[in-house]
Amino acid sequence: MKQIVNTGNGSYDVLEIHDVPDLSPGADELLIEVKASGLNFADILARKGQYPDGPDKPCVMGYEVSGIVA
């Protein structure tokens, strides 16, 4: 599985693509075979360090996805 990881505040160069093991869903979760993902305006502000409630770095970017429920 690939993740877009925000390694710090800054331009697009703080984003890294990491290969990580596939996740296994829990009993009350589902697995999505992602076909497309996106970064929204809040993600961009968080990457720049300008979003008030932005996550601590490093963090995974791209919570908006579409795909097939596996």
Side-chain angles (χ1 to χ4, degrees):
M1 177 174 86
K2 295 189 183 300
Q3 294 179 335
I4 299 173
V5 179
N6 185 347
T7 61
N9 296 333
S11 184
Y12 63 88
D13 58 342
V14 300
L15 301 177
E16 297 178 355
I17 298 175
H18 291 187
D19 287 310
V20 297
D22 289 344
L23 300 175
S24 296
D28 60 345
E29 300 175 329
L30 56 90
L31 181 66
I32 300 173
E33 185 180 326
V34 176
K35 299 296 183 181
S37 66
L39 299 178
N40 63 30
F41 187 63
D43 292 319
I44 294 168
L45 290 178
R47 183 202 76 211
K48 293 179 176 183
Q50 299 173 348
Y51 194 74
D53 293 325
D56 294 333
K57 312 301 188 301
C59 62
V60 175
M61 306 292 290
Y63 297 112
E64 296 178 353
V65 301
S66 66
I68 299 168
V69 174

